[in-house]
């Protein structure tokens, strides 16, 4: 049996280290749930062995020491912590104890979300903000006045008349979720340090010695109580106090309410729990406080917490576990995402076995390796993610070196073996060059052969503006892939009536729907005949449609059309160098790299050869670079429906005369062709003063200039 004295000493050491890392170093090593579990174990051991309790035990303290570099503040009224409840039984025991001592069956409580931030005290003298301090150890905190002045939610001057000579307002500084996500996105783009979670971000922000650094972080504040009040008359109820604080100019959580008895508290807990993931800020539970101030006074305090209040904690959203393996998943768009396979752990009420590692840059920042102990976070329906490695627990070999080497991405796609390309977000393109964001997404270049991308490639290939295979929708494509009828888009052209009928029968059986292959005693083949005919008809296409259908990243309809006209044939596009591609109008270095990478992948060339062998064909001409046409240098937008031709045909005819056809109206638009039922584009063109043509004027122009 473990010696209680030794276990108490070990727990105190671990808790003190956790406090120091979280509050002083701003570098938490364990999640809250693990800390709470150790603290509760220590409390139980000290209660069972009161002779081993000491004044410097973590159970006798509220927070951590003061960060060197800040002035200290002695709180006139100690900033105490709250006892925690983790179950319905504990809440009912809390209410029962109060009911018994007060002689009231269902006492009234002020109830509010438990914000996940940093507790602070704000001192006002004659209505003016003069000092702000952290909780610190409950008796002494850190003077963070200048940092708090940067938070706009904190009033620098109170509102109203007859303001108190002294008023200390207690509350929580927190980082809204939207601000947290935006801040981390900026850090990833610029290579800065990302924040582990909003709570850690709020605490670290207030401990910046330079207020400018604190001002750069998106912080907010909610008030929830008082410290010193001078001669200010205290409202009779806590719920009244919150309304009074709001009248003085302090923000108060809109989710605060009043509930009666244990059933009322538990109903509030369930209600807030259902809202938790939709709130704009993080919470880790709810707080129950006796509403009547006289009853609070009657209940009093224990050494570190009030007896009239308790925090009812939610299941932890962060837990520790170990990484059993790191694997790579390939998404439908070809993006490679590393995934940590974890020893099963319950996080926020769900057993988690996998967690995303986002990308190569995230893995490098975390330095996560197989065998590591990690902190995993899950909030609501968000995919669990690894947020931190506990390096102190990293497995070592006999020489004290890490047992596992740093993990690195494969150079080839694990699904198809195609080359992997690093794609970075473009911040801006100028004549001087391209500026990229920090961080890259690795992409498989085998879009036409990769199993992971197969369904997406087929859907795009068959779409109306690509090969226009009418009737080949997503459900049929799912079945064709799932049952192994097609591996690449070229396999579509080997399918006949029998394959489609069998595929449909198997799909109906799998989905549990009524088979449609037999109706009124005869085999229903018309839909399959139509589909085979549509695939056959798609063999006769155009070069621009084919280039678009191939699904080259960042090559849309307009770029495909430009490539087709500039080169006139497919082989020159496939063999073009980077320098040659950069000569093409409106193709910059990013798109040129995409085209080059696509055709450099041998698997993609094999599929194109298979398409040709299957009879897919298109007219090829010499380069059509109509730079001298009557519309050279002019940009045209088409909207609405035309009677004499489709918009696609009209666009092709305008391009043949040198125009660039764009999809949206801007100040650079030369004129807009507006057909019937023209909508927002016509409104925008009118607002910008862009010239508008009707269909009659378009036809007259085309007839005049095409005849020359």
């Amino acid at each position: 049996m473990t010696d209680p004295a030794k276990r108490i000493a070990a727990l105190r050491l671990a808790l003190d280290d956790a406090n120091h890392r979280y509050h002083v170093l701003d570098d938490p090593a364990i999640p809250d749930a693990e800390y709470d579990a150790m603290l509760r174990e220590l409390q139980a051991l000290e209660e069972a062995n009161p002779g081993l309790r000491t004044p410097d035990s973590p159970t006798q303290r509220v927070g951590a020491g003061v960060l060197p570099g800040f002035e200290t503040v002695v709180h006139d009224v100690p900033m105490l912590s709250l006892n925690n409840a983790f179950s319905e039984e504990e809440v009912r025991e809390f209410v029962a104890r109060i009911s018994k001592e007060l002689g009231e069956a269902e006492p009234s409580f002020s109830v509010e979300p438990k914000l996940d931030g940093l507790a602070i005290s704000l001192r006002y003298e004659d209505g003016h903000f003069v000092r702000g301090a952290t909780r610190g150890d409950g008796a002494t905190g850190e003077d963070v006045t200048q940092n708090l002045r940067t938070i706009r939610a904190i009033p620098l001057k109170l509102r109203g008349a007859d303001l108190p000579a002294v008023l200390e307002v207690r509350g929580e500084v927190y980082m809204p979720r939207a601000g947290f996500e935006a801040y981390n996105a900026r850090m990833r783009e610029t290579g800065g340090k990302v924040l582990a979670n909003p709570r850690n971000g709020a605490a670290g922000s207030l401990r910046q010695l330079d207020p400018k650094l604190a001002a750069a972080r998106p912080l907010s504040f909610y008030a929830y109580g008082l410290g010193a009040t001078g001669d200010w008359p205290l409202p009779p109820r806590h719920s009244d106090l919150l309304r009074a604080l709001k009248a003085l100019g302090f923000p108060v959580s809109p989710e605060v309410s009043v509930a009666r008895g244990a059933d009322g508290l538990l109903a509030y807990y369930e209600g807030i729990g259902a809202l938790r993931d939709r709130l704009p800020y993080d919470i880790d539970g709810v707080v129950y406080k006796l509403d009547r101030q006289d009853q609070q006074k009657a209940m009093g305090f224990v050494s570190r917490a009030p007896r009239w209040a308790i925090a009812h904690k939610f299941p932890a959203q962060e837990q520790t576990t170990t990484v059993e393996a790191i694997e790579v998943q390939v998404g439908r768009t070809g993006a490679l995402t590393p995934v940590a396979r974890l020893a099963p752990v319950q996080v926020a009420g769900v057993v988690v076995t996998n967690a995303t590692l986002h990308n190569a840059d995230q893995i490098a920042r975390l330095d996560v390796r197989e065998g590591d102990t990690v902190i995993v976070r899950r909030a609501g329906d968000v995919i669990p993610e690894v947020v931190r490695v506990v390096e102190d627990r990293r497995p070592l070999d006999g020489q004290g070196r890490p047992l596992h080497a740093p993990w690195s991405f494969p150079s080839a796609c694990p699904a198809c073996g195609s080359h992997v390309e690093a794609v970075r977000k473009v911040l801006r393109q100028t004549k001087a060059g391209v500026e990229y964001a920090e961080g890259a997404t690795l992409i498989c270049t085998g879009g036409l052969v990769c199993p992971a991308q197969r369904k997406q490639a087929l859907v795009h290939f068959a779409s109306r503006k690509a090969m226009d295979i009418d009737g080949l929708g997503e459900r049929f494509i799912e079945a064709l892939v799932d049952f192994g009828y097609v591996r690449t888009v070229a396999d579509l052209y080997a399918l006949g009536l029998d394959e489609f009928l069998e595929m449909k029968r198997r799909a109906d059986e799998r989905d549990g729907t009524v088979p449609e292959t037999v109706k009124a005693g005869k085999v229903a083949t018309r839909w399959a005949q139509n589909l085979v005919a549509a695939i056959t008809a798609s063999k006769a296409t155009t070069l621009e449609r084919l280039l678009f259908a191939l699904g080259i990243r960042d090559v849309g309809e307009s770029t495909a059309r430009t490539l087709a006209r500039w080169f006139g044939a497919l082989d020159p596009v496939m063999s073009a160098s980077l320098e040659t591609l950069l000569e093409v109008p409106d193709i910059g270095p990013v798109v040129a790299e995409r085209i080059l990478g696509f055709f450099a992948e041998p698997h993609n060339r094999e599929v194109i050869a298979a398409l040709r062998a299957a009879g897919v064909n298109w007219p090829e001409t010499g380069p059509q670079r109509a730079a001298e046409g009557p519309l050279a240098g002019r940009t045209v937008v088409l909207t609405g429906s035309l009677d004499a031709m489709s918009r696609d045909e009209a666009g092709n005819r305008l391009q043949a005369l040198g125009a660039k056809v764009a999809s949206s109206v801007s100040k650079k638009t030369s004129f807009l062709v507006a057909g019937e039922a023209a909508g927002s584009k016509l409104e925008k063109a009118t607002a910008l003063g862009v010239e508008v043509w009707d269909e009659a004027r378009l036809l007259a122009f085309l007839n005049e200039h095409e005849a020359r």
Side-chain angles (χ1 to χ4, degrees):
M1 183 175 180
T2 305
D3 183 349
K6 290 183 178 179
R7 181 56 180 163
I8 285 173
L11 286 169
R12 287 174 181 169
L13 183 63
L15 289 166
D16 282 339
D17 178 68
N19 269 324
H20 179 74
R21 291 180 69 106
Y22 179 78
H23 292 281
V24 178
L25 301 183
D26 190 23
D27 186 29
I30 62 173
D32 286 353
E34 188 170 334
Y35 180 94
D36 288 339
M38 288 193 296
L39 184 61
R40 286 163 71 85
E41 182 183 356
L42 180 58
Q43 287 171 330
L45 284 170
E46 288 182 348
E47 287 174 7
N49 301 274
L52 298 177
R53 184 182 289 122
T54 61
D56 61 352
S57 171
T59 63
Q60 307 305 303
R61 299 174 60 190
V62 177
V66 176
L67 183 72
F70 289 105
E71 295 292 331
T72 60
V73 174
V74 177
H75 299 301
D76 292 342
V77 176
M79 291 186 70
L80 300 182
S81 185
L82 294 174
N83 287 325
N84 293 323
F86 293 89
S87 67
E88 176 181 338
E89 181 182 5
E90 289 176 302
V91 173
R92 292 192 180 279
E93 289 175 355
F94 165 73
V95 176
R97 184 176 65 251
I98 290 176
S99 296
K100 181 179 180 181
E101 293 195 28
L102 295 179
E104 183 175 349
E106 288 195 327
S108 179
F109 292 86
S110 176
V111 290
E112 61 195 58
K114 186 178 182 298
L115 297 165
D116 208 2
L118 184 71
I120 60 163
S121 180
L122 307 173
R123 183 178 178 88
Y124 290 80
E125 295 179 0
D126 296 322
H128 294 273
F129 176 50
V130 296
R131 190 180 67 209
T134 63
R135 173 186 287 154
D137 63 5
T140 304
E142 305 150 359
D143 187 333
V144 288
T145 305
Q146 296 309 312
N147 288 343
L148 290 170
R149 286 181 178 275
T150 69
I151 301 175
R152 294 187 178 184
I154 294 176
L156 299 180
K157 182 180 179 182
L158 302 183
R159 301 173 67 87
D162 298 325
L163 297 174
V166 174
L167 185 68
E168 285 185 358
V169 175
R170 305 283 167 79
E172 197 92 355
V173 167
Y174 67 95
M175 186 175 288
R177 288 176 178 171
F180 168 77
E181 296 295 344
Y183 180 86
N184 272 356
R186 287 199 308 274
M187 292 302 100
R188 291 189 183 101
E189 287 184 356
T190 59
K193 180 182 178 182
V194 298
L195 303 172
N197 51 56
R199 178 205 59 233
N200 182 228
S205 299
L206 286 188
R207 289 186 169 88
Q208 300 290 333
L209 293 174
D210 183 356
K212 292 180 181 177
L213 297 177
R217 294 189 176 180
L219 300 178
S220 195
F221 171 78
Y222 276 143
Y224 54 60
L226 292 178
T229 59
D231 57 358
W232 192 59
L234 198 64
R237 294 180 178 271
H238 187 78
S239 52
D240 296 331
L241 169 63
L242 294 179
R243 283 188 284 271
L245 289 175
K246 194 169 184 180
L248 289 172
F250 293 98
V252 174
S253 171
E255 280 72 39
V256 299
S257 187
V258 175
R260 297 188 68 88
D263 288 341
L265 299 188
L266 294 169
Y268 179 79
Y269 176 85
E270 293 297 328
I272 290 294
L275 290 174
R276 183 183 187 186
D277 298 325
R278 299 197 295 275
L279 294 175
Y281 47 80
D282 275 3
I283 61 174
D284 59 359
V286 298
V287 176
Y288 311 134
K289 302 173 184 176
L290 267 174
D291 198 27
R292 283 173 48 183
Q293 302 283 3
D294 61 333
Q295 291 181 338
Q296 290 184 10
K297 187 175 180 180
M299 290 299 300
F301 299 82
V302 292
S303 60
R304 64 185 294 272
R307 298 179 67 241
W308 43 265
I310 199 168
H312 190 179
K313 302 290 284 289
F314 288 130
Q317 291 187 300
E318 290 185 356
Q319 287 286 12
T320 52
T321 186
T322 54
V323 177
E324 297 181 338
I326 300 176
E327 300 175 359
V328 174
Q329 291 181 341
V330 186
R332 290 170 67 96
T333 61
L336 274 63
T337 302
V339 176
R341 304 301 184 193
L342 307 169
V345 63
Q346 192 168 69
V347 187
V350 174
V351 175
V352 171
T353 57
N354 303 313
T356 180
L357 292 166
H358 295 293
N359 52 42
D361 297 280
Q362 180 76 345
I363 289 183
R365 274 193 294 270
L366 294 171
D367 187 24
V368 61
R369 311 181 188 190
E370 292 185 356
D372 275 349
T373 297
V374 295
I375 296 175
V376 179
R377 178 176 174 82
R378 177 184 179 273
D381 295 327
V382 177
I383 298 172
E385 63 175 341
V386 173
V387 296
R388 184 177 294 272
V389 173
V390 185
E391 292 191 19
D392 293 346
R393 303 186 193 179
R394 174 166 284 165
L396 306 175
D397 62 16
Q399 284 72 46
R401 296 170 299 191
L403 188 61
H404 299 282
W407 189 86
S408 58
F409 256 101
S411 59
C413 173
C416 70
S418 298
H419 172 67
V420 171
E421 177 183 48
V423 176
R424 295 184 180 272
K425 179 182 178 181
V426 177
L427 293 178
R428 58 186 63 86
Q429 286 191 70
T430 65
K431 292 182 180 179
V434 182
E435 182 180 346
Y436 295 96
E438 292 290 330
T441 300
L442 295 183
I443 301 291
C444 167
T445 59
L448 293 180
V449 296
C450 184
Q453 302 176 69
R454 190 168 291 157
K455 294 176 182 178
Q456 185 80 2
L458 284 162
V459 168
H460 176 75
F461 186 84
S463 63
R464 184 177 65 84
K465 294 186 177 180
M467 301 300 284
D468 194 19
I469 303 177
D470 187 37
L472 188 59
E474 288 194 37
R475 181 171 181 264
F476 284 169
I477 287 172
E478 292 270 353
L480 288 172
V481 173
D482 291 345
F483 297 137
Y485 290 97
V486 296
R487 293 182 303 106
T488 76
V489 295
D491 293 338
L492 288 172
Y493 295 96
L495 298 177
L497 190 65
D498 291 341
E499 286 84 3
F500 280 116
L501 289 172
E502 183 187 25
M503 176 271 295
K504 185 65 166 60
R505 177 186 59 77
R506 293 174 67 183
D508 289 339
E509 290 175 352
R510 180 191 64 181
D511 298 341
T513 58
V514 177
E516 296 180 2
T517 51
V518 178
K519 291 183 179 178
K522 4 186 327 191
V523 176
T525 60
R526 183 171 300 280
W527 69 269
Q529 291 170 339
N530 291 341
L531 191 50
V532 171
I535 292 174
T536 301
S538 74
K539 291 181 179 181
T541 187
T542 64
L543 179 56
E544 65 187 60
R545 277 184 174 272
L546 177 73
L547 286 170
F548 178 59
L550 293 178
I552 306 169
R553 189 171 299 275
D554 293 332
V555 173
E557 297 171 71
S558 178
T559 303
R561 189 180 299 120
T562 299
L563 287 168
R565 292 185 177 280
W566 186 264
F567 289 100
L570 180 59
D571 288 341
V573 181
M574 294 174 64
S575 61
S577 66
L578 181 64
E579 292 74 18
T580 301
L581 289 169
L582 289 174
E583 293 175 1
V584 181
D586 300 320
I587 291 185
V590 174
V591 176
E593 289 281 3
R594 304 283 192 270
I595 297 168
L596 202 67
F598 181 89
F599 288 115
E601 174 52 56
H603 293 119
N604 293 334
R605 287 176 170 266
E606 291 170 5
V607 174
I608 292 170
L611 287 171
R612 280 173 156 159
V616 178
N617 63 92
W618 53 91
E620 293 195 336
T621 63
Q624 301 176 41
R625 304 173 187 176
E628 302 303 322
L631 295 178
R634 304 192 74 185
T635 299
V636 182
V637 175
L638 295 108
T639 187
S641 59
L642 304 176
D643 293 330
M645 69 193 90
S646 68
R647 286 217 307 262
D648 285 345
E649 182 184 349
N652 291 336
R653 293 171 70 177
L654 288 166
Q655 283 186 320
L657 298 175
K660 174 186 176 182
V661 177
S663 59
S664 59
V665 176
S666 70
K667 292 181 178 179
K668 296 182 179 180
T669 303
S670 303
F671 62 89
L672 172 81
V673 177
E676 290 293 326
S680 59
K681 291 180 183 179
L682 177 58
E683 294 175 3
K684 186 172 182 181
T686 303
L688 293 175
V690 172
E691 184 178 1
V692 177
W693 289 15
D694 59 15
E695 185 174 2
R697 183 173 178 182
L698 171 66
L699 290 172
F701 181 88
L702 293 175
N703 291 334
E704 177 184 356
H705 292 282
E706 287 175 338
R708 294 179 180 178

